[in-house]
């Protein structure tokens, strides 16, 4: 169960990375297109022509509008992936904290060193000192 959950965490990390790469690539492409358009305007002016035609300006504005409309979709996708990732990590930490192996319980403490997940998951709030310890009456 732990191995499967760890694989799910790593799979989600890869999904987040892919989404980040796509957003970054899209932003760079948009920047490149805008710079090319500005360069085209400057080149026309150097050649003694008017910057760009109204049709070219309209086409550029439509492309920019499409890019701006795609931003909320990318942000939404990133929020969904982030939420799913946090859930998978919480499940993994719960599995670690309920493990009979003391090293794995301490690993959960180390992975959640700033108690980010502990604040969100009630099953992680059990103190580390009482987990897996038997009561001894002497």
């Amino acid at each position: 169960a732990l191995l499967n959950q760890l694989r799910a965490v790593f799979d989600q990390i890869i999904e987040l990375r892919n989404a980040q790469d796509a957003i970054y690539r899209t932003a760079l492409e948009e920047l490149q297109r805008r710079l090319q358009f500005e360069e085209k305007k400057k080149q026309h002016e150097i050649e003694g022509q008017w910057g760009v035609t109204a049709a070219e300006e309209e086409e550029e504005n439509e492309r920019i509008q499409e890019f701006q409309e795609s931003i909320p979709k990318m942000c939404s996708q990133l929020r969904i992936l982030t939420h799913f990732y946090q859930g998978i990590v919480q499940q993994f930490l719960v599995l670690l904290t309920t493990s009979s192996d003391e090293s794995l319980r301490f690993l959960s403490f180390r992975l959640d060193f700033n108690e980010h997940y502990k604040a969100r998951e009630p099953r992680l709030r059990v103190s580390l000192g009482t987990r897996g310890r038997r009561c001894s009456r002497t």
Side-chain angles (χ1 to χ4, degrees), residues 27-117:
L28 283 179
E29 288 170 1
E30 177 63 20
L31 175 62
Q32 196 64 24
R33 287 184 188 124
R34 289 184 186 192
L35 291 173
Q36 287 172 351
F37 185 75
E38 290 301 317
E39 186 61 35
K40 181 180 181 179
K41 285 185 349 184
K42 287 179 185 177
Q43 187 62 33
H44 284 176
E45 290 171 2
I46 290 172
E47 294 170 356
Q49 301 172 357
W50 188 256
V52 290
T53 65
E56 290 173 322
E57 186 76 34
E58 180 65 27
E59 184 180 317
E60 177 69 4
N61 289 337
E62 287 176 11
R63 192 193 53 70
I64 289 173
Q65 181 68 27
E66 287 175 16
F67 172 73
Q68 290 173 341
E69 290 171 357
S70 72
I71 293 173
K73 181 182 175 186
M74 289 186 285
C75 290
S76 176
Q77 179 188 15
L78 196 56
R79 272 192 299 276
I80 290 168
L81 289 172
T82 301
H83 179 74
F84 191 62
Y85 170 77
Q86 288 187 357
I88 287 176
V89 170
Q90 284 176 351
Q91 291 172 7
F92 180 65
L93 291 174
V94 167
L95 285 174
L96 288 175
T97 59
T98 58
S99 172
S100 60
D101 185 344
E102 186 175 322
S103 297
L104 292 177
R105 290 194 310 268
F106 279 109
L107 175 62
S108 74
F109 174 73
R110 297 285 301 211
L111 291 175
D112 192 23
F113 63 93
N114 63 357
E115 298 183 349
H116 172 79
Y117 295 99

Side-chain angles (χ1 to χ4, degrees), residues 15-33:
E15 287 294 321
L16 281 164
R17 186 202 55 153
N18 291 341
Q20 177 194 5
D21 288 348
I23 291 169
Y24 183 71
R25 190 173 41 256
T26 301
L28 283 179
E29 288 170 1
E30 177 63 20
L31 175 62
Q32 196 64 24
R33 287 184 188 124

Side-chain angles (χ1 to χ4, degrees), residues 97 105 125-135:
T97 59
R105 290 194 310 268
R125 293 189 188 129
V126 178
S127 81
L128 191 58
T130 60
R131 291 182 197 143
R133 204 183 257 183
R134 293 184 182 172
C135 294

